[in-house]
Each structure stands twice: as C-alpha cells, then as structure tokens.
Amino acid sequence: MDVVVESGIGWMELNEYLEPHGLFFPLDPVLATISVRYGTMRDNVISLKVVLPSGDVVKTASRARKSAAGYDLTRLVIGSEGTLGVITEVTLRLQKIPQHSVVAMCNFPTIKDAADVSIATMLSGIQVSRLELMDEVQVRAVNVANDKNLPELPTLMFEFIGTEAYVREQTLIVQKIISEHRGSDFVFAEDPEAKKELWKIRKEALWACFAMEPEYEAMISDVCVPLSRLAELISCSKKELDASPLVCTVIAHAGDGNFHTVILFDPNQEDQKREAERLNNFMVHTALSMEGTCTGEHGVGTGKMKYLEKELGIEALKTMKRIKNALDPNNIMNPGKLIPPHVCF
C-alpha cells in the first residue's frame, strides 16, 4: 500500500504502473493535487529522502503508517518550498482502486446555493471523493472553449466511490440535499467514457478561460477558509469580482473550503494589472478575516510573503527563520522564498 518514487515520475505514469496491482495514487495534479476523501499531498507522503544544504542525506521517516519517533521532518520539508533541501526520493501512500464510481453534476440559481450544498454534503457524513464548484463565468468559458451548450449557472461536480450499492445510496442522499437548495439539472454518469467527459469540463477549466481572452494573462488566487465560512467568502468575493471590469471566474474545491479565482488581465495595461492585484489582495484579506489562509495549496513563494505576518504572527515567522538558519546557514536553498526578508532576530 505504498510506493517509492524518484524525481521525474509523472502522476499518470505512476497510476498506469500501479493499475495491475489494483492500486492508485489518489491525488490528481490536474485538479490541483486535492481530494476531499484522501486529503492533500502532505497527507499522502509517508517518508522523504532529502539532501540538506550541508550535503548530508536524511531519511525523514520509516515506512510505518504511524510513528511518534521525533520531530515530523516529513511535513516540515514538504511545506518548505525547496528552502531546506532537495528531495530525491518520496514514499507515497496508496489506495485500493474503488469498485465503483459515479460522477454527478448539477446547477444552481446562485453561487451561495451551490456553496451551501457543498457544506451540507460534507456535514451529512457522506465521504465524497471529489467536490468541485464553478461559477457561471467559468461555465461560460467552458462553453466558448469547447463549443458546448452547458447551462451558464453556478455548477457543482461530485465524485462518489465505493461499492455499487454504497455509491447509489450516496447519490440519492446528495440528490435530496440538492433539491432542498434549489438545485436543478442533476445528471450522473457511470460509464467510464461519460465520466471522463464530465471531469474534462473541470480539468480544462483554466485553459478554457483563455478562450475568452486569448492574449491575456491569468492571475490565480488561492485562499482557504474553514468550511463553515466558505459560502460567506464566495458570496462576498463574487460581488467584488462581478463589479470589476476584468473577466473573473470562480473555481473551488468546495469540500474543504479552498477557493480560487482566475483573473484575466492585459499585461500591457497597468490599470488592469493593478485591478487584478487589488482583487487578489481583497480575497486574501477577506479569507484572513474569516480565520482562513492566504494560500491553500499554491505555496507562498515570493508573491504571498507579505501576508504571512498577518496570518501567522511574527513569532511563528521567527521560528521558521531559526529553522532555515540552522539547516541552511549560507542561504543557498531558494534564497528569498517563503520567509519575509524583514524577519530577523
């Protein structure tokens, strides 16, 4: 139920290799490496082999499924964005390929209705495998890019997995929840090709946006809040996005409160660039005010360093700086990334 991989392995190659064994690696990088049922990348890494700045080679953990032996170096390195060492080997947690799966899709009059359904679904205890939300602008982009005729309304997409009986039971419960929140056009697919066709809508969401503005660039926001605040965050952000002169689409991993917008702007127009920055800044500060985070999965890099002190506090940042100094005293690993330059002792 685990596999050791090295640099350069592709996600699809890995799953092709695992399929004859009845196993798969459940995270889909095309869907931003997230799965409601299986968690994030961090949850699915058992151990790492890391070359430190000193040249020492460290194995961060054993293959055991749980351990209380020392500091959790695995998670520390995963979240370090290359600032603490170079990862050369990863031991990944695997899952059994489910017996049966169903992909479903439905529409809503407002994005708040869609967000409310995602919250109600998670609270119902159903173990949804994937739960994705797109607003009407994103659906319009899909229609333009693929010559489709989907209803241009806020849309939820679900994936249910398990035994055939369990999947059907899940589908019926969610269908009832949808009907209580003004949902419509509920469709589901069990045939492999039909499922693939439905998920293609979500997988190609970013590229579909460029069909509306081929010469533009995209600024992609990525914030995350406690699930109970997701509907509020999306509703608040949507008002600001709809009022903007820029084309903005909403995509959310609705099962865990992770919310993205794709903001299209002309890189040659300074006013459009500033407007994109303003919208991104608005969403980050709104998420932070709701006890959320400035980034759910895209990392901090340099672009979001300015928000870290507000989110975590200066003492947390100083602790990170001490770890960085201890492991990389010469600052040779991704210098200038992750930790704001003003943090000092």
Side-chain angles (χ1 to χ4, degrees):
M1 299 293 286
D2 61 51
V3 64
V4 178
V5 300
E6 294 181 342
S7 303
I9 185 69
W11 162 79
M12 293 177 77
E13 289 173 78
L14 176 60
N15 277 336
E16 283 172 14
Y17 169 79
L18 294 170
E19 190 174 8
H21 302 277
L23 299 169
F24 80 120
F25 182 61
L27 304 188
D28 182 344
V30 182
L31 287 176
T33 63
I34 197 87
S35 165
V36 180
R37 187 184 180 106
Y38 299 114
T40 64
M41 189 71 181
R42 186 171 283 171
D43 303 318
N44 286 275
V45 173
I46 295 171
S47 176
L48 302 169
K49 187 181 281 186
V50 185
V51 181
L52 299 180
S54 63
D56 293 336
V57 180
V58 173
K59 189 176 182 187
T60 61
S62 70
R63 279 182 62 203
R65 280 298 171 116
K66 64 177 183 178
S67 171
Y71 295 142
D72 192 344
L73 298 178
T74 307
R75 272 95 199 142
L76 175 65
V77 173
I78 289 173
S80 68
E81 298 186 32
T83 60
L84 301 180
V86 176
I87 298 169
T88 61
E89 186 180 281
V90 184
T91 303
L92 297 171
R93 189 185 306 271
L94 302 178
Q95 303 290 339
K96 288 290 289 178
I97 294 173
Q99 289 181 26
H100 193 71
S101 69
V102 166
V103 174
M105 188 166 75
C106 59
N107 308 316
F108 298 88
T110 72
I111 201 156
K112 186 180 184 304
D113 290 317
D116 284 340
V117 164
S118 66
I119 295 167
T121 300
M122 299 307 293
L123 290 175
S124 73
I126 291 172
Q127 289 191 309
V128 186
S129 174
R130 289 189 278 195
L131 177 48
E132 301 287 311
L133 183 153
M134 298 182 292
D135 76 343
E136 71 283 359
V137 187
Q138 181 61 60
V139 178
R140 190 180 313 139
V142 170
N143 282 342
V144 171
N146 299 287
D147 198 26
K148 288 186 178 291
N149 194 29
L150 299 168
E152 292 179 0
L153 294 166
T155 299
L156 275 181
M157 298 187 71
F158 305 82
E159 183 181 58
F160 308 104
I161 63 174
T163 63
E164 189 170 348
Y166 181 56
V167 167
R168 289 187 186 282
E169 183 187 9
Q170 287 178 313
T171 308
L172 288 171
I173 293 170
V174 170
Q175 196 169 1
K176 184 174 184 295
I177 293 171
I178 289 166
S179 67
E180 292 167 355
H181 290 81
R182 305 194 295 168
S184 61
D185 300 320
F186 184 82
V187 295
F188 66 92
E190 296 178 88
D191 175 73
E193 281 307 309
K195 288 188 291 188
K196 191 175 174 183
E197 192 62 29
L198 277 181
W199 271 123
K200 191 178 173 188
I201 293 167
R202 172 61 184 89
K203 281 174 179 279
E204 297 179 356
L206 173 59
W207 313 116
C209 293
F210 292 115
M212 294 199 291
E213 299 288 356
E215 305 301 317
Y216 281 23
E217 288 184 8
M219 182 177 290
I220 305 172
S221 77
D222 167 31
V223 295
C224 189
V225 291
L227 189 59
S228 60
R229 306 297 296 272
L230 179 64
E232 185 182 354
L233 171 68
I234 289 179
S235 298
C236 181
S237 300
K238 189 79 171 109
K239 285 178 190 170
E240 199 73 19
L241 295 168
D242 287 348
S244 172
L246 301 182
V247 174
C248 309
T249 75
V250 169
I251 308 167
H253 307 304
D256 59 9
N258 194 195
F259 168 63
H260 304 264
T261 59
V262 178
I263 304 165
L264 298 172
F265 67 97
D266 185 341
N268 301 313
Q269 299 289 329
E270 273 304 313
D271 58 332
Q272 291 197 18
K273 222 169 168 181
R274 282 195 300 271
E275 173 65 1
E277 287 280 3
R278 184 189 72 80
L279 291 170
N280 182 56
N281 192 56
F282 171 83
M283 280 175 288
V284 168
H285 284 288
T286 303
L288 293 179
S289 72
M290 296 179 181
E291 300 180 273
T293 176
C294 66
T295 176
E297 56 192 26
H298 289 176
V300 171
T302 57
K304 289 195 171 178
M305 283 196 295
K306 59 190 174 188
Y307 304 119
L308 286 188
E309 188 172 348
K310 181 172 182 181
E311 179 174 334
L312 300 172
I314 192 67
E315 293 307 324
L317 297 184
K318 283 183 177 180
T319 303
M320 292 181 196
K321 186 71 176 284
R322 289 187 183 98
I323 294 169
K324 169 73 169 168
N325 286 351
L327 294 179
D328 185 15
N330 297 322
N331 197 27
I332 62 171
M333 292 287 180
N334 258 358
K337 296 288 180 73
L338 195 66
I339 301 170
H342 74 272
V343 177
C344 54
F345 306 118

